[in-house]
Amino acid sequence: MTSRIADAQRRSLHEPEAFWGEAAREIDWYEAPEQVLDASNAPFYRWFRGGKLNTCHNALDRHADGPRGEQAALIYDSPVTNQVRKYSFRELRDLTARFAGVLAAHGVGRGDRVIVYMPMIPEAVIAMLACARLGAVHSVVFGGFAAPELATRIDDAQPTLIVSASCGIESTRVIPYKPLLDEALSLAKHRPRACIIKQRPQISAELAMGRDFDWDSETARVAAQPCVPVDATDPLYILYTSGTTGQPKGVVRDNGGHAVAMQWTMRHFYNVAPGEVFWAASDVGWVVGHSYIVYAPLINGNTTVLYEGKPVGTPDAGAFWRVIAQHRVCSLFTAPTAFRAIKKEDPEGKLLRGHDLSCLRALFLAGERSDPATLAWAETQLKVPVVDHWWQTETGWAIVGNCLGIEPLPVKHGSPTVAVPGWDVRVLDDAGHEVPAGTTGSLVAKLPLPPGTLSTLWNADERFLDAYLREFPGFYKTADAGYIDADGYVYVMARTDDIINVAGHRLSTGAMEEVLAGHPDVAECAVFGMADDLKGEVPLGLLVLRDGARHGAERVVSEVVQRVRDTIGPVAAFKHALVVKRLPKTRSGKILRGTMKKIADGQPYKLPATIDDPSVLDEIAVALRPLTDALKPRA
Ligand code: COA
Ligand code: AMP
């Protein structure tokens, strides 16, 4: 490669301070950074040490007080409540400054944590930005998690305040949020000082006297708050993501590196100019929502779309086309699952025809592997570049992808193309040696990681080192496996840990196993991801019952399904479990989940050399057959 993208990659890796120092000039600083990259405490690298800034100022005030003041900053499009509402930069800044007043009135200051458990309403964005305004640290919890997951996050983040709403709306169902919050608070040891609740017209939540306060009345009684300058290295947010146990990892993002990376990627990766309309059809509870619904588009002076709906059913598979045409969206970012759902309902793209999509320049897909068939379908229907890009909650932005803002490269279906500037991606074998092109191994990134990536795990530096940095010294372990071809194209094939990807949502099978194992009749269990045409993967649980179990298989299965829903949440989409006599194991007792997954997916598998009793695999195949036949009828 002797191209613009190769030059940018070279500069970013060989002269990172010059490269990112230049990028940092696009951000407003109260005090310029003294040092671009501080490696004095490696492997804990810090970006822009000495710099002082405010992320909310960069996202709102600098536009609100300039020529973009009346430009729409946010378009709230909610087919589930039948409304569209636009907020200018000035309006969004004023509402945010007011809500920062509410936070301050309840004692929230710089460094304090605030948990945001909200549906996709403008108040969720306002709450996040209001935290940033005060230098407080938000931790947004996705609405599809159950009360115990919320409780775990409350105990880990120790928030001063919790911000929530009376309900969320899932297609046509109204989901009361307040009972979930109340239950989480009863489970958690930590007590926040207060909860601020946005009452929605669909449900009015009961407020506990002295603890819960109404969003609207609180906002009416306070004064607006200015932006508080914070250190570039101060945390902006904690975002919990699935780890290999029931205890989620609190990914910490700083202010300075994050702002620089967000600004840089909008221009150079997504190729979006200030003033244009950008739409990330995700949820503010996920990293995509943090980075590309809220921070990056606003920092870059774009209009962002906050969509409270689904790709299908709100009202139909033409919903995305309606939103693009109505708001003149130039770039759409979503998960491949959304396109699989649309394709399933409207395979010929008939619903697309009535809409003027001439504004759309590109579709970006991430969150899970883009299967070539879905990618090709999207290209045919939309006739714009479809850009698969690979990233993680930890990285905050793309590791590998086609930088449309620098130089689009030819696409090879199945690969998100090449490493984005800032990323030195390698493939290592188990002993940590680099493997030749085309050989599969662990995908890693050479340290230091670029700005905007995780600085540590919340209150867990040791876990940060263990989870990401110790196995391959000098590298960040992505926990994805894959290979790089002779042209430098990266192929991301599978996770190396127990994480599965269900409808673009990251879930730990280990956490599900913990829930299953807690059932009194379950002696042993295994959960693994089974291929699914719509969601990519869905979890499947196999259970061995205890001798003398109190209940029969059917009852235990329905109870464990309910337990996962109540403990982890509906988002786990755990709907299938089977009782079997035994689980296949190695002689040392390791359960052969990978082999069972291959059987469930109808793929060929090798008999593991260390298997204890091969006949168990035949039993599993027989037990799985009725379920897999029902889910995926063979032609
Ligand atoms: N609050 C409460 N419940 C929620 C929720 C929320 N914010 N989000 C999802 N749920 C519930 C759903 O209602 C569903 O419940 P059910 O089992 O009672 O039906 C369950 O969690 C699973 O949700 P989901 O995986 O979204 O499945 P779905 O069948 O409702 O929709 C798709 C399927 C494909 C339309 C949907 O998954 C989708 O739009 N995916 C796009 C992926 C995406 O945005 N990923 C984000 C990362 S980029
Ligand atoms: P999350 O942290 O929820 O964003 O999930 C990150 C994980 O999703 C990655 O580690 C991958 O396993 C998977 N993933 C995300 N984007 C892609 C992609 N473009 N191709 C393949 N896998 C992806």
Coordinates of all heavy atoms in Angstrom, one line a residue, residues 117-120 141-145 168-171 173 175 177 180 280-283 286-289 309-313 320 333-342 365-368 391 501-506 534-535 565 569-575, ligand 1:
Y117 N -30.3 5.2 33.6 CA -31.1 4.0 33.1 C -32.3 4.5 32.4 O -33.4 4.8 33.0 CB -31.4 3.2 34.4 CG -32.1 1.9 34.2 CD1 -31.5 0.9 33.5 CD2 -33.3 1.6 34.8 CE1 -32.1 -0.4 33.3 CE2 -33.9 0.3 34.6 CZ -33.3 -0.6 33.9 OH -33.9 -1.9 33.7
M118 N -32.2 4.7 31.1 CA -33.2 5.5 30.4 C -33.5 4.8 29.0 O -32.7 4.2 28.4 CB -32.6 6.9 30.0 CG -32.3 7.7 31.2 SD -33.7 8.5 31.8 CE -33.6 10.1 31.0
P119 N -34.7 5.0 28.6 CA -35.0 4.6 27.2 C -34.5 5.6 26.2 O -33.8 6.6 26.6 CB -36.6 4.6 27.2 CG -36.9 5.7 28.2 CD -35.9 5.6 29.3
M120 N -34.8 5.5 25.0 CA -34.2 6.3 23.9 C -35.0 7.6 23.8 O -35.7 7.8 22.8 CB -34.2 5.6 22.6 CG -33.1 4.5 22.6 SD -31.5 5.3 22.3 CE -31.6 5.6 20.6
V141 N -26.9 2.5 31.7 CA -27.2 1.1 31.7 C -28.3 0.8 30.7 O -29.4 1.5 30.8 CB -27.6 0.6 33.1 CG1 -27.9 -0.8 33.2 CG2 -26.5 0.9 34.1
F142 N -28.1 -0.1 29.8 CA -29.1 -0.4 28.8 C -30.4 -0.8 29.4 O -30.4 -1.6 30.4 CB -28.5 -1.5 27.9 CG -29.4 -2.0 26.8 CD1 -29.8 -1.1 25.8 CD2 -29.9 -3.3 26.8 CE1 -30.7 -1.5 24.8 CE2 -30.7 -3.7 25.8 CZ -31.1 -2.8 24.8
G143 N -31.5 -0.4 28.8 CA -32.8 -0.6 29.4 C -33.2 -2.1 29.4 O -34.1 -2.5 30.1
G144 N -32.6 -2.9 28.5 CA -33.0 -4.3 28.4 C -32.4 -5.2 29.4 O -32.6 -6.4 29.4
F145 N -31.6 -4.6 30.4 CA -31.0 -5.4 31.5 C -32.0 -5.5 32.6 O -32.7 -4.5 32.9 CB -29.7 -4.8 31.9 CG -28.5 -5.1 31.0 CD1 -27.8 -4.1 30.4 CD2 -28.2 -6.4 30.7 CE1 -26.7 -4.4 29.6 CE2 -27.1 -6.7 29.9 CZ -26.4 -5.7 29.3
G168 N -40.1 2.6 29.2 CA -39.6 2.5 27.9 C -40.7 1.9 27.0 O -41.7 1.4 27.5
I169 N -40.5 2.0 25.7 CA -41.5 1.4 24.8 C -40.8 0.5 23.8 O -39.9 1.0 23.1 CB -42.3 2.5 24.1 CG1 -42.9 3.5 25.2 CG2 -43.4 1.9 23.2 CD1 -43.4 4.8 24.7
E170 N -41.2 -0.7 23.8 CA -40.6 -1.7 22.9 C -41.7 -2.1 21.9 O -42.6 -2.8 22.2 CB -40.3 -3.0 23.7 CG -38.9 -2.9 24.4 CD -37.8 -2.9 23.4 OE1 -37.6 -4.0 22.8 OE2 -37.2 -1.9 23.2
S171 N -41.5 -1.5 20.7 CA -42.5 -1.7 19.7 C -43.9 -1.2 20.2 O -44.1 0.0 20.4 CB -42.6 -3.1 19.1 OG -41.3 -3.4 18.5
R173 N -45.2 -2.5 23.2 CA -45.3 -2.8 24.6 C -44.7 -1.7 25.5 O -43.6 -1.2 25.2 CB -44.5 -4.1 25.0 CG -45.3 -5.3 24.8 CD -44.5 -6.5 25.2 NE -43.2 -6.5 24.5 CZ -42.0 -6.9 25.1 NH1 -42.0 -7.3 26.4 NH2 -40.9 -6.9 24.4
I175 N -42.9 -0.7 28.8 CA -42.1 -1.4 29.8 C -41.9 -0.5 31.0 O -41.1 0.5 30.9 CB -40.8 -1.9 29.3 CG1 -40.9 -2.5 27.9 CG2 -40.0 -2.8 30.3 CD1 -40.5 -3.9 27.7
Y177 N -40.1 1.1 33.8 CA -38.7 1.1 34.3 C -38.6 1.2 35.8 O -37.7 0.7 36.4 CB -37.9 2.2 33.6 CG -37.3 1.9 32.3 CD1 -37.9 1.0 31.4 CD2 -36.1 2.4 31.9 CE1 -37.4 0.7 30.1 CE2 -35.5 2.1 30.7 CZ -36.2 1.3 29.8 OH -35.6 1.0 28.6
L180 N -38.3 -1.7 38.0 CA -36.9 -2.4 37.9 C -35.9 -1.6 38.7 O -35.0 -2.2 39.4 CB -36.5 -2.4 36.4 CG -37.4 -3.3 35.5 CD1 -37.1 -3.0 34.0 CD2 -37.1 -4.8 35.8
A280 N -26.9 7.0 13.9 CA -26.5 5.7 14.4 C -27.8 5.1 15.0 O -28.3 5.5 16.1 CB -25.4 5.9 15.4
A281 N -28.3 4.0 14.3 CA -29.5 3.4 14.8 C -29.1 2.3 15.8 O -29.0 1.1 15.5 CB -30.2 2.8 13.6
S282 N -28.8 2.8 17.0 CA -28.4 1.9 18.1 C -29.1 2.4 19.3 O -30.2 2.9 19.2 CB -26.8 2.0 18.2 OG -26.4 1.2 19.3
D283 N -28.5 2.2 20.5 CA -29.1 2.6 21.7 C -28.1 3.3 22.6 O -26.9 2.9 22.6 CB -29.7 1.4 22.5 CG -30.5 1.7 23.7 OD1 -30.0 2.2 24.7 OD2 -31.8 1.6 23.6
W286 N -25.4 1.4 24.6 CA -24.3 0.6 24.0 C -23.2 1.6 23.7 O -23.5 2.8 23.5 CB -24.7 -0.2 22.8 CG -25.8 -1.1 23.0 CD1 -27.0 -1.1 22.4 CD2 -25.9 -2.2 23.9 NE1 -27.8 -2.1 22.9 CE2 -27.1 -2.8 23.8 CE3 -24.9 -2.8 24.8 CZ2 -27.5 -4.0 24.5 CZ3 -25.3 -3.9 25.5 CH2 -26.6 -4.5 25.4
V287 N -22.0 1.1 23.4 CA -20.9 2.0 23.1 C -21.2 2.8 21.8 O -20.8 3.9 21.6 CB -19.6 1.2 23.0 CG1 -19.5 0.3 21.8 CG2 -18.4 2.2 23.0
V288 N -21.9 2.1 20.8 CA -22.2 2.8 19.5 C -23.0 4.0 19.8 O -22.8 5.1 19.2 CB -22.9 1.8 18.6 CG1 -23.4 2.6 17.3 CG2 -22.0 0.6 18.2
G289 N -23.9 3.9 20.8 CA -24.8 5.0 21.1 C -24.0 6.1 21.8 O -24.2 7.3 21.5
G309 N -37.3 3.3 18.1 CA -38.0 2.4 17.3 C -37.2 1.2 16.9 O -36.0 1.1 17.3
K310 N -37.7 0.4 16.1 CA -37.0 -0.8 15.6 C -36.9 -0.8 14.1 O -37.6 0.0 13.5 CB -37.8 -2.1 16.0 CG -37.9 -2.3 17.5 CD -37.0 -3.3 18.1 CE -37.1 -3.3 19.6 NZ -36.2 -4.3 20.2
P311 N -36.0 -1.6 13.6 CA -35.9 -1.6 12.1 C -37.2 -2.2 11.4 O -37.5 -1.9 10.3 CB -34.7 -2.5 11.8 CG -34.4 -3.2 13.1 CD -35.0 -2.4 14.2
V312 N -37.9 -3.1 12.2 CA -39.1 -3.6 11.6 C -40.2 -3.5 12.7 O -39.9 -3.4 13.9 CB -38.9 -5.2 11.3 CG1 -38.0 -5.3 10.2 CG2 -38.4 -5.9 12.5
G313 N -41.4 -3.4 12.2 CA -42.5 -3.4 13.2 C -42.9 -2.1 13.8 O -43.9 -1.9 14.5
F320 N -36.6 2.5 8.4 CA -35.3 3.1 8.2 C -35.3 4.0 7.0 O -34.7 5.1 7.0 CB -34.2 2.0 8.1 CG -33.6 1.5 9.4 CD1 -34.4 1.6 10.5 CD2 -32.3 1.0 9.4 CE1 -33.8 1.1 11.8 CE2 -31.8 0.5 10.6 CZ -32.6 0.6 11.8
F333 N -25.5 4.3 10.5 CA -24.7 3.3 11.1 C -25.6 2.4 11.9 O -26.4 2.8 12.7 CB -23.8 4.0 12.1 CG -22.8 3.2 12.9 CD1 -21.8 3.8 13.7 CD2 -22.9 1.8 13.0 CE1 -21.0 3.1 14.5 CE2 -22.1 1.1 13.8 CZ -21.1 1.7 14.5
T334 N -25.5 1.1 11.7 CA -26.3 0.1 12.5 C -25.7 -1.2 12.5 O -24.5 -1.4 12.1 CB -27.8 0.0 11.9 OG1 -28.6 -0.7 12.9 CG2 -27.8 -0.7 10.6
A335 N -26.3 -2.2 13.1 CA -25.8 -3.5 13.3 C -26.3 -4.4 12.1 O -27.5 -4.2 11.7 CB -26.2 -4.1 14.6
P336 N -25.6 -5.3 11.6 CA -26.0 -6.2 10.5 C -27.4 -6.8 10.8 O -28.2 -7.0 9.9 CB -24.9 -7.3 10.4 CG -23.7 -6.6 10.9 CD -24.2 -5.6 12.0
T337 N -27.6 -7.2 12.1 CA -28.9 -7.8 12.5 C -30.1 -6.9 12.0 O -31.1 -7.5 11.6 CB -29.0 -7.9 14.0 OG1 -28.0 -8.7 14.5 CG2 -30.3 -8.5 14.5
A338 N -30.0 -5.6 12.1 CA -31.1 -4.7 11.7 C -31.4 -5.0 10.2 O -32.5 -5.1 9.8 CB -30.7 -3.3 12.0
F339 N -30.3 -5.1 9.4 CA -30.5 -5.3 8.0 C -31.0 -6.7 7.7 O -31.8 -6.9 6.8 CB -29.2 -5.0 7.2 CG -29.3 -3.6 6.7 CD1 -29.1 -2.5 7.6 CD2 -29.5 -3.3 5.4 CE1 -29.2 -1.2 7.2 CE2 -29.6 -2.0 4.9 CZ -29.5 -1.0 5.8
R340 N -30.6 -7.7 8.5 CA -31.2 -9.1 8.3 C -32.7 -9.0 8.6 O -33.4 -9.7 7.9 CB -30.4 -10.1 9.2 CG -29.0 -10.4 8.7 CD -28.5 -11.7 9.4 NE -28.3 -11.5 10.8 CZ -27.2 -11.1 11.4 NH1 -26.2 -10.9 10.7 NH2 -27.1 -11.0 12.7
A341 N -33.1 -8.3 9.6 CA -34.5 -8.2 10.0 C -35.3 -7.5 8.8 O -36.3 -8.0 8.5 CB -34.7 -7.4 11.3
I342 N -34.7 -6.5 8.3 CA -35.4 -5.8 7.2 C -35.5 -6.7 5.9 O -36.5 -6.8 5.3 CB -34.7 -4.5 6.8 CG1 -34.7 -3.5 8.0 CG2 -35.2 -3.8 5.6 CD1 -33.8 -2.3 7.9
L365 N -21.7 -0.7 9.1 CA -22.2 -1.8 9.9 C -21.1 -2.2 11.0 O -19.9 -2.3 10.6 CB -22.5 -3.0 9.0 CG -23.6 -2.8 8.0 CD1 -23.7 -4.1 7.1 CD2 -24.9 -2.5 8.7
A366 N -21.5 -2.5 12.2 CA -20.6 -3.0 13.2 C -21.4 -3.6 14.3 O -22.6 -3.6 14.3 CB -19.8 -1.9 13.8
G367 N -20.7 -4.2 15.3 CA -21.3 -4.8 16.4 C -21.3 -6.3 16.4 O -21.4 -7.0 17.4
E368 N -21.1 -6.8 15.2 CA -21.0 -8.3 15.0 C -20.5 -8.5 13.6 O -20.4 -7.5 12.8 CB -22.4 -8.9 15.1 CG -23.4 -8.3 14.1 CD -24.8 -8.8 14.1 OE1 -25.0 -10.0 14.2 OE2 -25.7 -8.0 14.0
W391 N -15.0 -3.1 15.9 CA -14.6 -2.4 17.1 C -15.3 -3.0 18.3 O -16.1 -3.9 18.2 CB -14.7 -0.9 17.0 CG -16.0 -0.2 16.7 CD1 -16.6 -0.4 15.5 CD2 -16.7 0.7 17.4 NE1 -17.7 0.4 15.4 CE2 -17.8 1.1 16.6 CE3 -16.6 1.2 18.7 CZ2 -18.8 2.0 17.1 CZ3 -17.6 2.1 19.2 CH2 -18.6 2.5 18.4
N501 N -22.5 -12.9 20.6 CA -23.1 -11.7 20.0 C -24.5 -12.0 19.6 O -24.7 -12.7 18.6 CB -22.3 -11.3 18.8 CG -22.1 -9.8 18.8 OD1 -23.2 -9.1 18.8 ND2 -20.9 -9.3 18.8
V502 N -25.5 -11.5 20.3 CA -26.9 -11.8 20.0 C -27.6 -10.5 19.5 O -27.7 -9.5 20.3 CB -27.6 -12.3 21.3 CG1 -29.1 -12.6 21.0 CG2 -26.9 -13.5 21.9
A503 N -27.9 -10.5 18.3 CA -28.5 -9.3 17.7 C -27.6 -8.0 17.9 O -28.1 -7.0 18.2 CB -29.9 -9.0 18.2
G504 N -26.3 -8.2 17.8 CA -25.4 -7.1 18.0 C -25.2 -6.8 19.4 O -24.5 -5.8 19.7
H505 N -25.8 -7.5 20.3 CA -25.6 -7.3 21.8 C -24.6 -8.3 22.3 O -24.7 -9.5 22.1 CB -27.0 -7.4 22.5 CG -28.1 -6.6 21.9 ND1 -29.3 -7.1 21.8 CD2 -28.1 -5.3 21.5 CE1 -30.1 -6.1 21.2 NE2 -29.4 -5.1 21.0
R506 N -23.7 -7.8 23.1 CA -22.6 -8.6 23.6 C -23.0 -9.2 25.0 O -23.4 -8.5 25.9 CB -21.4 -7.7 23.8 CG -20.3 -8.3 24.5 CD -19.1 -7.3 24.3 NE -18.1 -7.6 25.3 CZ -16.9 -6.9 25.3 NH1 -16.7 -6.0 24.5 NH2 -16.1 -7.2 26.3
L534 N -31.5 -14.6 12.1 CA -31.8 -13.2 12.3 C -30.8 -12.5 13.3 O -30.2 -11.5 12.9 CB -33.2 -13.1 12.9 CG -33.7 -11.7 13.3 CD1 -33.7 -10.8 12.1 CD2 -35.0 -11.7 14.0
K535 N -30.6 -13.1 14.4 CA -29.8 -12.5 15.5 C -28.3 -12.9 15.4 O -27.5 -12.4 16.3 CB -30.4 -12.8 16.8 CG -31.8 -12.3 17.0 CD -32.3 -12.3 18.4 CE -33.6 -11.6 18.5 NZ -34.1 -11.4 19.8
R565 N -34.1 -14.3 32.2 CA -34.8 -13.1 31.9 C -34.8 -12.1 33.1 O -34.6 -10.9 33.0 CB -36.2 -13.4 31.4 CG -36.9 -12.3 30.7 CD -38.3 -12.8 30.2 NE -39.0 -11.7 29.7 CZ -38.9 -11.2 28.4 NH1 -38.2 -11.9 27.6 NH2 -39.6 -10.2 28.1
G569 N -31.7 -10.2 31.9 CA -32.7 -9.3 31.2 C -33.2 -10.0 29.9 O -32.6 -10.9 29.4
P570 N -34.2 -9.4 29.4 CA -34.8 -9.9 28.1 C -33.8 -9.8 27.0 O -33.8 -10.6 26.1 CB -36.0 -9.0 27.9 CG -35.9 -7.8 28.8 CD -35.0 -8.2 29.9
V571 N -32.8 -8.8 27.1 CA -31.9 -8.7 26.0 C -31.0 -9.9 25.8 O -30.5 -10.2 24.7 CB -31.0 -7.4 26.3 CG1 -30.1 -7.6 27.5 CG2 -30.2 -7.1 25.1
A572 N -30.9 -10.8 26.8 CA -30.1 -12.0 26.7 C -30.8 -13.0 25.6 O -30.1 -13.8 25.1 CB -30.0 -12.7 28.0
A573 N -32.1 -12.8 25.4 CA -32.8 -13.6 24.4 C -32.5 -15.1 24.7 O -32.3 -15.9 23.7 CB -32.4 -13.2 23.0
F574 N -32.5 -15.4 26.0 CA -32.3 -16.8 26.3 C -33.7 -17.5 26.3 O -34.5 -17.4 27.3 CB -31.7 -16.9 27.7 CG -31.3 -18.3 28.1 CD1 -30.2 -18.9 27.7 CD2 -32.2 -19.0 28.9 CE1 -29.8 -20.2 28.1 CE2 -31.9 -20.3 29.3 CZ -30.7 -20.9 28.9
K575 N -33.9 -18.3 25.2 CA -35.3 -18.9 25.1 C -35.2 -20.4 25.0 O -36.2 -21.1 25.0 CB -36.0 -18.3 23.9 CG -36.1 -16.8 24.0 CD -37.3 -16.2 23.4 CE -37.5 -14.8 24.0 NZ -38.0 -13.8 23.1
Ligands
COA1 N1 -35.8 -2.0 27.2 C1 -36.5 -3.1 27.6 N2 -36.5 -4.3 26.9 C2 -35.7 -4.3 25.8 C3 -34.9 -3.2 25.4 C4 -35.0 -2.1 26.1 N3 -34.3 -1.0 25.8 N4 -34.3 -3.6 24.2 C5 -34.6 -4.9 24.0 N5 -35.5 -5.3 24.9 C6 -36.2 -6.6 24.9 C7 -37.0 -6.8 23.7 O1 -38.3 -6.3 23.8 C8 -37.0 -8.3 23.6 O2 -37.9 -8.8 24.5 P1 -38.9 -10.1 24.3 O3 -38.0 -11.3 24.5 O4 -39.9 -10.0 25.3 O5 -39.4 -10.0 22.9 C9 -35.7 -8.7 24.1 O6 -35.2 -7.6 24.9 C10 -34.7 -9.0 23.0 O7 -34.5 -7.8 22.2 P2 -33.9 -7.7 20.8 O8 -32.6 -8.6 20.7 O9 -33.7 -6.3 20.4 O10 -34.9 -8.5 19.9 P3 -36.2 -8.1 19.2 O11 -36.8 -9.3 18.7 O12 -37.0 -7.1 20.0 O13 -35.7 -7.3 17.9 C11 -34.1 -6.8 16.1 C12 -34.9 -7.9 16.9 C13 -33.2 -7.5 15.1 C14 -35.2 -6.0 15.4 C15 -33.4 -6.0 17.1 O14 -32.5 -6.8 17.8 C16 -32.5 -4.9 16.5 O15 -33.0 -3.8 16.1 N6 -31.2 -5.1 16.4 C17 -30.3 -4.0 15.9 C18 -29.1 -4.2 16.7 C19 -28.6 -3.1 17.5 O16 -29.2 -2.0 17.5 N7 -27.5 -3.3 18.1 C20 -26.8 -2.3 18.9 C21 -25.4 -2.3 18.7 S1 -24.9 -1.5 17.2

